[in-house]
Amino acid sequence: GITVNILLGIIIFWVLTIKYGETYIPNAELKYGIVPGKIGLKMGLLPGDKITAINGRTVVRFNELTSPEVILGNADLTVLRGDNSLHVKVPTSILNDLSDSNIEEFISSIPRSKFAIDSVLQNSNAKKAGLKVGDSIVAVNGEKVTFFDQFKLLIGSFANKQVVLSIKRNENLIQSTARVDKNGTLGFFPNWDIPNEKKLTFGFFGSLPVGATK
């Protein structure tokens, strides 16, 4: 039974890899670095850090940062922070921490990004506040925000409260009052400013090891 399950998994991912290939975000093209969750912050990572190497090996794909090589613990991360290069050790306890949480609490699957409004949910507080596609929120209650992780953290602290949003629309700066819901959100989807994904394609036999690894 176990053997059949493993073989079936390999076959499924083999076929998927043949059909769709593999996509990834080039790590070297990250503009604004990473967004660590509470587990990443605990080990010393900061928003905006750029992890350039794992155990001395250059990181090619952004998703390598949450690969088994890292989350099994003891990995040495080479971190570029501003103009300084430093090393952060992944503790052996990371798997225990992740068992009570999820991988997003280590490093977010979305790189650090500036943002604009991509779409607004109907009947949402964002809609009532007059937010439109293309708007950029640049401040909340007068506190400047540049990146989406900053905005998310700040707006979450005002759950069930009114806030004043400073909004850049075209070349104009306007203000609007909005109510934050109990989940700390307004009701819109952001448009990310992240690198384009690269796609790899594989032949019939070349897809086998890739599918087996997945």
Side-chain angles (χ1 to χ4, degrees):
I2 295 174
T3 302
V4 172
N5 286 336
I6 293 173
L7 289 175
L8 180 61
I10 290 174
I11 292 171
I12 290 172
F13 280 96
W14 182 13
V15 172
L16 289 173
T17 304
I18 292 172
K19 184 173 182 179
Y20 297 108
E22 192 173 35
T23 58
Y24 68 93
I25 296 174
N27 190 66
E29 295 181 16
L30 295 191
K31 297 179 181 180
Y32 313 111
I34 65 168
V35 178
K38 61 183 180 182
I39 295 172
L41 291 169
K42 180 181 175 181
M43 71 176 64
L45 294 173
L46 294 178
D49 282 350
K50 295 182 178 180
I51 301 175
T52 58
I54 301 170
N55 295 326
R57 176 184 59 79
T58 299
V59 178
V60 177
R61 307 180 185 195
F62 174 63
N63 61 8
E64 291 178 51
L65 303 183
T66 52
S67 66
E69 182 181 3
V70 175
I71 62 174
L72 287 178
N74 285 325
D76 178 74
L77 307 179
T78 303
V79 177
L80 185 63
R81 182 175 296 165
D83 295 326
N84 300 315
S85 182
L86 59 146
H87 292 268
V88 174
K89 194 77 171 181
V90 179
T92 55
S93 62
I94 187 172
L95 282 180
N96 289 331
D97 293 336
L98 287 172
S99 68
D100 296 326
S101 189
N102 60 65
I103 199 67
E104 290 290 311
E105 294 297 345
F106 174 37
I107 295 175
S108 174
S109 58
I110 300 174
R112 194 171 216 204
S113 173
K114 294 182 178 180
F115 69 104
I117 307 298
D118 184 66
S119 60
V120 179
L121 296 176
Q122 292 295 328
N123 301 317
S124 66
N125 291 334
K127 187 77 172 180
K128 295 173 184 176
L131 288 175
K132 297 182 178 181
V133 174
D135 284 351
S136 296
I137 299 173
V138 297
V140 177
N141 285 348
E143 186 170 342
K144 183 180 177 181
V145 292
T146 302
F147 303 105
F148 186 72
D149 62 291
Q150 293 176 322
F151 170 78
K152 185 177 178 181
L153 183 64
L154 181 58
I155 207 75
S157 67
F158 294 106
N160 285 323
K161 295 180 180 179
Q162 295 275 358
V163 294
V164 177
L165 305 175
S166 298
I167 303 163
K168 184 178 180 181
R169 180 174 296 164
N170 299 322
E171 298 302 319
N172 301 314
L173 188 64
I174 60 176
Q175 288 191 333
S176 179
T177 301
R179 182 168 183 83
V180 184
D181 67 20
K182 64 180 181 180
N183 298 314
T185 63
L186 292 176
F188 71 85
F189 291 104
N191 182 15
W192 308 111
D193 179 21
I194 60 177
N196 293 326
E197 289 185 329
K198 289 191 175 180
K199 183 176 181 178
L200 298 177
T201 56
F202 304 91
F204 184 80
F205 291 106
S207 299
L208 177 56
V210 177
T213 301
K214 288 179 180 291

